[in-house]
Amino acid sequence: MTAPVMTAPASEAEAAKSKKTFWTQLSASMAMFSNRKSAAGLIILGVFILVAIFAPLIAPYDPTEQNLDATLQAPSFQHLLGTTHIGEDVFSQIVYGTRGVLVVGFLATIMATVVAVVVGVTAGYLRGWKSESLSALSNVFLVIPGLPLMIIIASQFADPPLWIIAAVLGLTGWAWGARVLRAQTMSLRNRDFIQAARANGEPLHRIILVEMLPNLMALIASSFVGTMTAAVLGLTTLAFIGVIPVSNLNWGTILFWAQQNSAFPDYWWWYVPAGLCIAFVGVALALINFGIDEYVNPRLRSAGERARAMKKKGLNVNDAVTAVRTADDEESQA
């Protein structure tokens, strides 16, 4: 009779390696931003955030400082992006205008995302008239024309503060995200782990916060990015058409004054930089969304992982026929 084979216990190094640490969990949670496109988007958005934070240190002039001896000057070393019709430095206005755009964009997006998560997840988990009522509320806000409502509300204030503008944008921007989250929550509520949590008598708030929300984070992030894009475009649109007072400096007000003073097309330095900033923010958010789409879609995620693995091996992912690496090729490269 042979003695039983005793397996050796794992070493401390292997146990430490297999144990999840804070950094491994952080790395897993940031997997949606692991590709180059989303990383580039985060870098571009981070640059704008730094410009907004350190605006007094970056801007060479006060954005409202007038110099009637230097009106409508082209870009130079003294004025990097030229001047306006009353001698205001355009570069300083762009720098300080970044604050208004990002503050309103983030505030409106946070408000809209919170409402979308509460309404969408609750409507998806509950059944009966409660779910239908919340779904009908989302449908009502989904068909409300956002821009006219924003114009009506914003025009009621002589000088609306930033949080009022953000609240208006957030109020008109949550319905789409709520619909998407409701549909995904309805799919999750019939999964085995949700049924097991309900059978164990888990309270409703714990099922939603602990069991459901971690599985909805990718969709919430995607909704956040889309809502912020709409908020930035909504703010600049309201400013460009003159609904928001010109005292609220942002890229839209720069375009408003350029249009009012017939800067198109001769004085390009007055309107092109503001338009490019709006475009760069949109591109940054779109690039971030690419990473989220790859994380959400298993096919895109596996395709991206294969493409990155092939690039590391020196293979071209666009080749019609995949090259086969032989031992001689590896020896020659070594």
Side-chain angles (χ1 to χ4, degrees):
M1 185 174 180
T2 58
V5 178
M6 302 295 293
T7 58
S11 63
E12 295 181 1
E14 293 177 351
K17 183 177 180 180
S18 61
K19 183 180 178 180
K20 289 185 177 181
T21 63
F22 169 78
W23 296 110
T24 57
Q25 293 178 355
L26 180 62
S27 177
S29 63
M30 298 295 291
M32 65 181 71
F33 306 120
S34 60
N35 60 32
R36 294 181 179 178
K37 292 181 179 179
S38 57
L42 287 174
I43 292 173
I44 296 173
L45 187 61
V47 170
F48 280 107
I49 293 174
L50 292 176
V51 169
I53 294 174
F54 299 104
L57 301 178
I58 298 175
Y61 302 95
D62 186 280
T64 58
E65 180 183 349
Q66 301 179 10
N67 183 5
L68 298 180
D69 294 330
T71 58
L72 295 176
Q73 288 190 353
S76 61
F77 289 106
Q78 187 176 3
H79 300 282
L80 296 179
L81 294 179
T83 60
T84 66
H85 65 299
I86 54 177
E88 297 170 332
D89 185 66
V90 177
F91 178 74
S92 300
Q93 291 188 344
I94 293 290
V95 171
Y96 276 92
T98 307
R99 282 184 167 182
V101 171
L102 294 186
V103 168
V104 173
F106 276 109
L107 284 178
T109 304
I110 291 172
M111 294 178 187
T113 303
V114 170
V115 176
V117 170
V118 172
V119 175
V121 175
T122 305
Y125 184 80
L126 298 178
R127 302 173 187 271
W129 67 270
K130 297 179 181 179
S131 176
E132 295 299 328
S133 299
L134 293 175
S135 177
L137 180 65
S138 300
N139 292 335
V140 169
F141 276 88
L142 195 62
V143 299
I144 290 178
L147 185 59
L149 180 62
M150 288 188 289
I151 293 175
I152 293 172
I153 297 177
S155 61
Q156 301 302 313
F157 299 89
D159 189 8
L162 292 180
W163 70 269
I164 289 290
I165 301 172
V168 173
L169 294 172
L171 180 66
T172 58
W174 63 269
W176 179 84
R179 293 287 297 174
V180 175
L181 290 173
R182 177 179 180 269
Q184 185 63 20
T185 304
M186 292 177 66
S187 175
L188 287 176
R189 72 184 181 187
N190 296 321
R191 302 286 178 87
D192 293 338
F193 65 95
I194 298 296
Q195 297 294 338
R198 187 184 295 113
N200 289 334
E202 298 288 350
L204 176 61
H205 69 274
R206 189 183 186 282
I207 293 176
I208 293 178
L209 294 177
V210 178
E211 303 293 342
M212 282 192 169
L213 280 185
N215 293 281
L216 297 173
M217 287 306 298
L219 284 178
I220 293 174
S222 179
S223 176
F224 187 93
V225 172
T227 306
M228 185 169 181
T229 304
V232 170
L233 293 178
L235 171 67
T236 53
T237 301
L238 289 174
F240 178 70
I241 62 179
V243 175
I244 297 177
V246 294
S247 59
N248 292 324
L249 184 63
N250 60 71
W251 299 333
T253 57
I254 297 174
L255 295 176
F256 169 80
W257 282 116
Q259 188 268 340
Q260 288 293 315
N261 292 276
S262 303
F264 304 92
D266 296 330
Y267 309 114
W268 59 267
W269 58 85
W270 196 348
Y271 57 87
V272 169
L276 287 178
C277 288
I278 298 172
F280 278 130
V281 170
V283 169
L285 295 173
L287 290 174
I288 294 172
N289 208 22
F290 283 141
I292 299 174
D293 288 339
E294 182 176 317
Y295 181 81
V296 174
N297 193 326
R299 293 184 178 180
L300 291 177
R301 184 166 64 249
S302 59
E305 292 174 353
R306 287 196 302 268
R308 286 189 288 269
M310 292 177 65
K311 287 182 179 180
K312 289 181 180 179
K313 295 179 180 180
L315 302 177
N316 189 356
V317 297
N318 296 320
D319 287 342
V321 179
T322 304
V324 178
R325 300 186 65 181
T326 62
D328 295 337
D329 295 335
E330 294 180 357
E331 291 177 359
S332 62
Q333 289 185 0

